[in-house]
Amino acid sequence: MVYEPSVATADNRVVVIGSGPPGAAAALFLARAGVQVLLLEAGLQAGSPGLTFRVSGLTLAKRKGELRQRDGVRRTGDPDAQLFEELAPGGLSNHWSCAVPRFSTEDFEDAARGGLDHTWPVTYAELAPWYDQVEPLLHVAGPVRGVTQLPAPRVRHARELAEDWAPVAERAREGGRSLLPMPYAYGADTTFTRTGTPFNSFVRLIEPELGQGRIEVRFGARVSSLEWSSSERRVTGVTYRDAVSGAEGRVPCRAAIVAGGALNTPQVLLQSKSADFPNGLGNTHGVLGRYLHDHPLGKVVIDLERPMPIHPAAYLTRPELSRSKLPLYAAACMQWCSASDIAKSVLARTPKRSRRLGFSVFGTMAATRDNYVALDEGYRGPDGAHGLELHITHPPEALPPLEEARDAMLELLGAAGCNPKLSVWKVEPAGNSNHYGGTCRMHASPELGMLDGFSRMHAVRNVAVCDSSVFTTTPEKNPVLTSMALAARAANRLAAELKGGDI
Ligand SMILES: Cc1cc2nc3c(=O)[nH]c(=O)nc-3n(C[C@H](O)[C@H](O)[C@H](O)COP(=O)(O)OP(=O)(O)OC[C@H]3O[C@@H](n4cnc5c(N)ncnc54)[C@H](O)[C@@H]3O)c2cc1C
């Protein structure tokens, strides 16, 4: 099936670039608000190979394509920095783990505590109604009661931790942390999907909407730039290169949403040069591509004297804000529970329990101008795309919170009588968490961020950005849910202004 734009509506469409989770959410909310959408997706229609079979949230069979690092990356910060990419419908949701924690009021307060540079132009209270609308699309399985560090999601399936975790949770509370089941997308559903994860944003959000006739998709269309009209003072078109023929194409648009991911979005905008914007579209103060940050990540494996539950997976939050010393620095532990962990537990005759627990310890780093992504104009890939200069180094402040979270988990398991022994501790290079953000950030001041509080460019009012590049800062939480909530909010505002004739 090929979805082609209808000529009659071509000039009035909003072009959405990319179908990862926030791009798909933006397209869906625009379409539901009555806006005609043309989705340009760099990946081919065949998509990334995969298959997932789950029963009540337990993965019984899974196959997915290899996750590859992007070619043509010149690393000028951490020489081992990683940059994984999937140019396919659904983007990295072909590979993700589906953890969907909300950011909390304290996360936004912590950012503000870090100073004006780090202050978001949106609050948790403003974002909460959009979390409420996005979570049902994700079929969240998670806790029904929230805590200060992790607000309760709107769940489809309530999850509670097994009773063995009660003493650990009690002790965690005394120390200012909380222990809860991690909210997961499709976390308790029985599903058979032809993708490598139970939630692929293209398959789950875009495909079911295509019959309504508001969204059209052009596959294999890698966008190279947005076309600025100096006379009309707006973006009037989008240019792309066809992945199969190599031909250049152009589509007119009334507005555009860029959602190529935290590295591809700045790439497209940096390539969109004009006499009015010689440093990239909307880049009036040199912030485009800067403030790059990610989640410093430690991986810990702990051996226990007695088996503890591995399903549902536990989440040990960061300490409450009143107990955190340094603004913008914290870490949380996310328990592993893969299909192979479950299989091993069955073989060991301790189903859904294990004497060996693994956790990803996600930390934070302050977003500063010193870390950035820029075009490497000396490199051209086989598809004609520029290379990237990736300049990121984790600051020394990032390590202690990772170690503190690891030690907190060891101490809690010890207090619960599990006699824990540290088996593996490894701090990963930058980028390994796959949670880059900040390269096209929101800020009330255009000097400190490209976008306003509705993810719209300060300098180009008919362009919004919808992916984690918009994050002013990133707390220690996985980004997808928040990027989708911000995207839904941005799309809704854009649709209202388009209808009202304000753009
Ligand atoms: C192994 C793994 C586990 C993860 N687990 C989690 C998790 O549990 N929870 C969580 O929140 N996050 C997780 N993530 C991260 C999550 O997958 C990403 O944050 C998310 O997919 C980012 O969405 P995005 O749309 O910004 O970017 P992407 O997913 O990269 O999507 C970008 C889309 O834009 C398209 N595109 C790019 N450039 C262009 C262009 N020039 N023209 C047209 N189209 C373009 C791509 O083809 C793609 O469809 C995980 C990632 C990995 C790899």
Side-chain angles (χ1 to χ4, degrees), residues 58-214:
L58 277 180
T59 303
L60 300 185
K62 180 151 147 170
R63 188 170 62 82
K64 59 181 172 185
E66 191 191 340
L67 179 59
R68 292 204 182 87
Q69 294 222 40
R70 179 182 165 134
D71 291 331
V73 179
R74 191 156 57 85
R75 294 159 174 84
T76 52
D78 179 347
D80 298 321
Q82 299 181 333
L83 175 46
F84 293 96
E85 185 177 77
E86 180 72 74
L87 295 182
L92 287 174
S93 72
N94 285 287
H95 298 274
W96 75 316
S97 312
C98 299
V100 285
R102 288 188 181 199
F103 290 4
S104 69
T105 301
E106 287 202 342
D107 291 330
F108 291 91
E109 286 172 3
D110 190 26
R113 190 169 80 123
L116 182 64
D117 256 30
H118 305 285
T119 304
W120 286 71
V122 58
T123 62
Y124 176 76
E126 288 164 335
L127 203 49
W130 299 98
Y131 281 126
D132 287 347
Q133 292 198 50
V134 165
E135 279 158 347
L137 302 172
L138 291 160
H139 292 202
V140 178
V144 286
R145 273 180 303 279
V147 293
T148 319
Q149 304 96 325
L150 185 67
R154 273 188 71 183
V155 297
R156 174 178 279 235
H157 305 277
R159 280 283 197 225
E160 280 183 22
L161 290 179
E163 196 48 38
D164 306 51
W165 283 112
V168 179
E170 178 60 34
R171 186 76 174 213
R173 260 193 304 279
E174 287 163 19
R177 295 182 188 257
S178 294
L179 191 85
L180 297 93
M182 174 57 110
Y184 278 99
Y186 280 77
D189 286 42
T190 295
T191 57
F192 181 74
T193 39
R194 58 173 173 78
T195 61
T197 68
F199 180 92
N200 170 305
S201 50
F202 185 85
V203 172
R204 293 288 185 194
L205 301 186
I206 300 298
E207 282 188 351
E209 200 65 19
L210 291 173
Q212 305 299 317
R214 293 252 184 240

Side-chain angles (χ1 to χ4, degrees), residues 291-456:
Y291 295 97
L292 172 67
H293 59 272
D294 80 332
H295 277 147
L297 171 63
K299 290 183 181 156
V300 59
V301 177
I302 301 170
D303 288 330
L304 308 175
E305 215 166 64
R306 66 182 173 88
M308 283 289 280
I310 55 173
H311 185 85
Y315 179 63
L316 180 68
T317 70
R318 60 166 289 162
E320 286 163 10
L321 198 55
S322 57
R323 303 210 195 197
S324 317
K325 299 165 216 149
L326 201 58
L328 301 165
Y329 284 94
C333 300
M334 188 174 118
Q335 191 182 12
W336 301 340
C337 174
S338 67
S340 74
D341 292 330
I342 294 286
K344 280 182 204 155
S345 75
V346 172
L347 289 174
R349 298 197 186 160
T350 56
K352 295 206 257 175
R353 294 167 167 275
S354 177
R355 285 196 173 80
R356 173 162 272 214
L357 302 187
F359 298 87
S360 291
V361 185
F362 285 115
T364 56
M365 62 185 282
T368 67
R369 286 181 71 105
D370 308 340
N371 290 309
Y372 60 86
V373 60
L375 293 181
D376 179 357
E377 306 211 18
Y379 176 95
R380 284 277 184 172
D383 58 357
H386 278 301
L388 290 179
E389 179 190 349
L390 181 67
H391 187 94
I392 185 163
T393 311
H394 288 160
E397 294 89 338
L399 187 60
L402 294 181
E403 293 173 340
E404 280 163 29
R406 173 202 66 192
D407 294 345
M409 184 49 85
L410 281 163
E411 196 266 319
L412 294 172
L413 288 165
C418 298
N419 196 15
K421 297 266 178 308
L422 182 66
S423 166
V424 177
W425 173 242
K426 180 168 189 283
V427 177
E428 298 289 348
N432 186 267
S433 59
N434 292 291
H435 293 170
Y436 281 121
T439 48
C440 189
R441 72 202 294 248
M442 303 165 89
H443 201 282
S445 163
E447 289 176 24
L448 296 169
M450 295 270 291
L451 311 173
D452 68 12
F454 283 91
S455 313
R456 198 87 61 78

Side-chain angles (χ1 to χ4, degrees), residues 9 57 140 168 170 179 232 247 284 330 365 447 463 471 477 483:
T9 57
V140 178
V168 179
E170 178 60 34
L179 191 85
E232 293 186 44
T284 49
M365 62 185 282
E447 289 176 24
V463 174
F471 287 7
K477 311 241 177 70
S483 68

